[in-house]
Amino acid sequence: MSHIIELFTTIENALEKKEYEKQEGDIEEMTDKQCFDILELDVSITPTKNDLRKAFRKKSFMYHPDKQTEENKEEYGEMFKKVSVAYKLIKNRYNL
């Protein structure tokens, strides 16, 4: 009986991991324009390291789930993830 429970637990964990990877992959396929829009940066200008950091800090404070009410936490948590991913993508793509 314990083998069956272990098997179901293993399958459940694998499915959760696969779903998480799928969601992360969707987010990381954002274009530069989408990243700039999320961070409210000017698309026509390559951002400096300082500009990027300021925009990230402003948006991350705005959307941090711990600073929200219970009914907004999930929505703002998703936006917080997008802000974090946009920051990382721009930072890596522009070597900042």
Side-chain angles (χ1 to χ4, degrees), residues 39-91:
L39 294 172
E40 294 182 359
L41 292 169
D42 187 5
V43 179
S44 63
I45 302 171
T46 302
T48 64
K49 191 174 189 176
N50 197 33
D51 292 338
L52 180 61
R53 188 178 63 81
K54 282 182 183 179
F56 171 71
R57 288 179 56 95
K58 178 183 173 185
K59 289 295 181 175
S60 64
F61 284 131
M62 182 186 300
Y63 291 114
H64 199 284
D66 290 346
K67 300 197 180 279
Q68 306 304 321
T69 60
E70 285 300 318
E71 60 262 1
N72 293 341
K73 249 185 188 181
E74 189 173 315
E75 178 184 337
Y76 279 79
E78 287 299 315
M79 192 60 191
F80 182 77
K81 288 178 190 176
K82 287 182 181 181
V83 167
S84 298
V85 170
Y87 170 76
K88 289 176 187 174
L89 289 176
I90 291 174
K91 185 176 177 187

